[in-house]
């Protein structure tokens, strides 16, 4: 079985992030790393293999040269090989373009299961997994809190929290699955893992390798445009008072002054 | 005026408040047409009309409930191709975003997610979104095709604009992909009398400092005194003190109520990402250095087990 895990190299979510003048994410002034939410997808891929399913795990990312470090981190956690789609024409690509690149790459690699995180921690859109399933024309299941794959039957089952109900679902592989941060704590790479990651194959592909016309991707082909991106004025910090035995009464008075009581 | 499609979020015909907000926003962009998928259109039509729907497209097919997402995408695609709307507004729920994502691929249209406001610009809808844990405010527009926009709850106040909608039943030929994911079971979450987290005007949340599932009764008591929804931080949810469906934060529900009360929550970046667009923020925390205090309009440094009961009593006294 072939498992492809899509990962993203993103600006550190705990740092002060910002935008470039053209509305794209500023990647220069903040350190970037493997999107935390993708670690859960990697973990699930590794657990599927550990459960006895004979599978090869390939990590796939689209991004600038530095994105290789996200692949190295993934390989250090486990898995077999990585593919980096890198091309000058990719900068500024929107979610639609990204899903096109990922779909072409996944088709080229061959797959039974594509695993992703629930969203990237930079854009937080969470739409690429669904777009990918749509483009690959295979079942797509998003936001799984639990996922299991039965290798013998090729049946995938899972549990997800929908808007007002808990759903148990079933689908046949090949399929695209996104998992949440509730699927289980992701492992830390071991020293041995970090060392062996350096020897695992990491291939680079360009748009031409994937048969994608550069006009289909990049900032110019994006189907939405940012008109302005402004830092929100910081909240004006209000009064913070120690409780001197009447903290609840004081708080109630504040809430009443704002007409909440 | 061009039609603006609004995907109706409902449970067996009971229309949820975010849909009324979408109809209100849709009127800024064109003529609102509601798209009702599943059972219960007869119940829903009156309220959809009350909030301005001129048309209600109805697709009542068993596939809608039996399978995940794709049947809804098939229906939306069919209607969008026939109508050629100026915009398509979808609630920013998990399913809503997924429907919008697939629709964008099929129609080759631009997609904007999680808008907190929508206006008519010179050449179409202009959206407002929060980015990077709500530290940025972004304006954007769609450059290709019908603008597909998912809108977060509380983006606007629903305003009635009574219309007598024309109801059009639409037959959809579902794609092969529509039956790809089977829903084996669907267990509705326990209904409570409290408002839903995303729709509530006031949210009272508890975190690590609540220190135990049984102590969430105190959070609930304050919530009920204020007519509020109950939220919880990831730490509280991971500890099993409160259900995951109440988690506020980056990977839980992102809320934007009029008032957010954080009790025993330190305010890690992931939590702030889910609540810092709340209009008024108050917090109770023992640690005066807790980052949550940087956001508050009013903060109390103190023991929540002393402050909250007193607060609940004082609210009751003031309400007489």
């Amino acid at each position: 079985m072939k498992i492809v895990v899509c990962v993203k190299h993103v600006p550190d979510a705990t740092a002060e992030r910002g935008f470039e003048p053209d509305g794209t994410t500023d990647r220069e002034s903040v350190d970037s790393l493997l999107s935390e939410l993708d670690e859960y997808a990697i973990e699930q891929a590794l657990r599927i293999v550990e459960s006895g399913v004979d599978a090869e795990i390939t990590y796939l990312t689209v991004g600038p040269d530095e994105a290789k470090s996200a692949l190295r981190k993934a390989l250090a956690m486990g898995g077999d090989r990585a593919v980096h789609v890198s091309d000058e024409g990719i900068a500024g690509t929107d979610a639609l373009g990204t899903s096109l690149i990922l779909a072409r790459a996944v088709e080229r690699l061959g797959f039974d299961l594509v695993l992703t995180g629930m969203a990237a921690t930079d854009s937080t859109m969470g739409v690429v997994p669904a777009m990918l399933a749509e483009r690959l024309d295979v079942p797509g299941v998003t936001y799984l809190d639990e996922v299991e794959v039965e290798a013998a039957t090729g049946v995938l089952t899972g549990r997800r929290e929908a808007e007002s109900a808990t759903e148990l679902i079933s689908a046949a592989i090949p399929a695209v699955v996104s998992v949440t941060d509730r699927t289980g704590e992701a492992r830390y790479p071991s020293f041995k893992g970090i060392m062996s990651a350096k020897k695992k194959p990491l291939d680079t592909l360009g748009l031409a390798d994937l048969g994608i016309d550069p006009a289909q991707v990049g900032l110019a082909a994006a189907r939405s445009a940012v008109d302005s991106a402004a830092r929100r004025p910081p909240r004006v910090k209000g009064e913070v008072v120690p409780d001197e035995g009447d903290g609840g009464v004081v708080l109630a008075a504040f809430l009443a002054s704002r007409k909440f009581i | 005026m061009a039609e603006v499609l609004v995907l109706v979020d409902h449970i067996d015909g009971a229309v949820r408040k975010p849909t009324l907000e979408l109809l209100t926003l849709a009127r800024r962009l064109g003529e609102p047409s509601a798209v009702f998928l599943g059972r219960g259109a007869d119940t829903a039509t009156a309220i959809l009309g009350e909030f301005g729907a001129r048309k209600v497209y109805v697709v009542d097919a068993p596939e809608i409930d039996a399978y995940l997402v794709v049947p809804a995408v098939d229906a939306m695609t069919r209607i969008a191709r026939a109508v050629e709307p100026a915009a398509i507004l979808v609630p920013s729920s998990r399913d809503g975003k997924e429907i919008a994502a697939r629709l964008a691929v099929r129609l080759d249209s631009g997609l904007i997610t999680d808008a907190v406001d929508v206006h008519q610009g010179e050449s179409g809808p202009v959206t407002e979104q929060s980015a990077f844990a709500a530290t940025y405010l972004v304006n954007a527009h769609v450059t290709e095709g019908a603008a597909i926009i998912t809108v977060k709850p509380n983006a606007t106040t629903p305003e009635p604009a009574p219309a007598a909608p024309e109801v059009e039943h639409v037959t959809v030929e579902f794609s092969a992909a529509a039956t790809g994911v089977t829903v084996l079971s669907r267990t509705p979450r326990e209904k409570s009398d409290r408002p839903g987290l995303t729709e509530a005007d006031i949210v009272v949340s508890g975190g690590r400092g609540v220190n135990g599932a049984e102590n969430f009764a105190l959070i609930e008591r304050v919530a009920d005194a204020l007519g509020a929804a109950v939220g919880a931080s990831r730490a509280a949810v991971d500890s099993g003190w409160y259900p995951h469906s109440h988690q506020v934060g980056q990977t839980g529900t992102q809320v934007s109520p009029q008032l957010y009360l954080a009790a025993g929550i330190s305010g890690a970046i992931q939590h702030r990402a889910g609540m810092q667009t709340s209009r008024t923020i108050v917090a109770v925390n023992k640690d005066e250095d807790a980052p949550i205090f940087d956001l508050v309009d009013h903060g109390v440094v103190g023991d929540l087990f002393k402050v909250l009961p007193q607060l609940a009593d004082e609210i009751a006294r003031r309400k007489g």
Side-chain angles (χ1 to χ4, degrees), chain A residues 11 13-19 25-26 36-37 40 94-96 99 118 120-135 137-143 145 157 160-172 180-182 185 221-233 235-256 258 260-261, chain B residues 9 11 16 68-69 73 93-95 97-98 101-102 104-106 108-114 116 126 129-144 177 180-189 198 201-202 226 234 237-238 244-245 247 250-251 254 258-259 261 269-270 276-282 284 293-303 306-308 310-311 314-315 318-319:
Chain A
T14 60
E16 292 275 324
R17 296 166 291 174
F19 289 93
T25 303
D26 171 13
E36 184 209 327
L37 293 170
Y40 298 95
D94 64 1
L96 279 157
S99 69
M118 58 184 269
T121 57
D122 56 350
S123 75
T124 65
M125 291 177 81
V127 296
V128 166
M131 289 178 169
L132 192 50
E134 179 68 35
R135 291 195 190 273
D137 199 21
V138 298
V141 201
T142 56
Y143 295 103
D145 290 333
T157 52
R160 72 196 293 267
E161 292 293 332
E163 203 72 352
S164 56
T166 302
E167 295 172 335
L168 296 181
I169 60 84
S170 144
T180 72
D181 55 337
R182 301 181 58 73
E185 204 59 25
R223 280 162 164 65
S224 56
V226 171
D227 303 313
S228 66
R231 185 165 270 284
R232 246 181 222 283
R235 293 188 76 100
V236 178
K237 187 174 172 176
E239 205 180 2
V240 178
V241 296
D243 176 26
E244 286 168 345
D246 61 350
V249 173
V250 173
L251 181 51
F254 173 81
L255 295 181
R258 297 282 178 107
F260 291 115
I261 301 174
Chain B
D9 184 9
I11 299 171
R16 305 179 71 180
L68 279 192
V69 176
V73 180
S93 60
R94 288 182 167 185
D95 283 359
K97 276 166 65 162
E98 191 170 343
R102 286 174 174 266
V105 172
R106 290 205 192 168
D108 201 14
S109 279
L111 166 69
I112 291 172
T113 58
D114 295 325
V116 294
V126 175
Q129 296 160 277
S130 286
F132 296 142
T135 55
Y136 270 79
L137 206 55
V138 174
N139 287 112
H141 69 279
V142 160
T143 53
E144 278 289 327
V181 183
T182 308
V183 180
L184 300 173
S185 72
R186 194 172 263 144
T187 314
R189 266 193 284 285
T198 52
D201 288 332
I202 302 179
L226 289 166
R234 182 163 173 196
V237 168
D238 282 353
H244 173 245
S245 51
Q247 186 188 321
Q250 187 185 39
T251 59
Q254 298 186 17
Q258 296 296 322
L259 170 65
L261 194 164
I269 180 99
Q270 289 82 356
Q276 71 182 10
T277 54
S278 304
R279 199 69 56 85
T280 298
I281 297 174
V282 296
V284 179
F293 285 131
D294 293 338
L295 304 177
V296 297
D297 296 284
H298 182 84
V300 179
V301 181
D303 182 352
K306 292 192 179 125
V307 176
L308 293 190
Q310 193 181 60
L311 171 64
E314 179 65 11
I315 293 168
R318 282 175 179 264
K319 282 186 171 171

Side-chain angles (χ1 to χ4, degrees), chain A residues 71-154:
Chain A
L71 294 173
R72 288 288 176 211
K73 164 98 189 272
L75 287 169
M77 290 171 69
D80 301 291
R81 62 199 200 93
V83 173
H84 179 205
V85 182
S86 176
D87 200 294
E88 275 183 16
I90 287 173
T93 300
D94 64 1
L96 279 157
T98 302
S99 69
L100 175 68
I101 297 167
L102 288 172
R104 292 278 192 275
V106 166
E107 279 167 344
R108 186 183 150 119
L109 295 168
F111 72 101
D112 298 292
L113 183 62
V114 177
L115 277 168
T116 74
M118 58 184 269
T121 57
D122 56 350
S123 75
T124 65
M125 291 177 81
V127 296
V128 166
M131 289 178 169
L132 192 50
E134 179 68 35
R135 291 195 190 273
L136 294 170
D137 199 21
V138 298
V141 201
T142 56
Y143 295 103
L144 285 185
D145 290 333
E146 273 171 22
V147 57
E148 265 181 62
V149 179
E150 203 179 315
T153 55

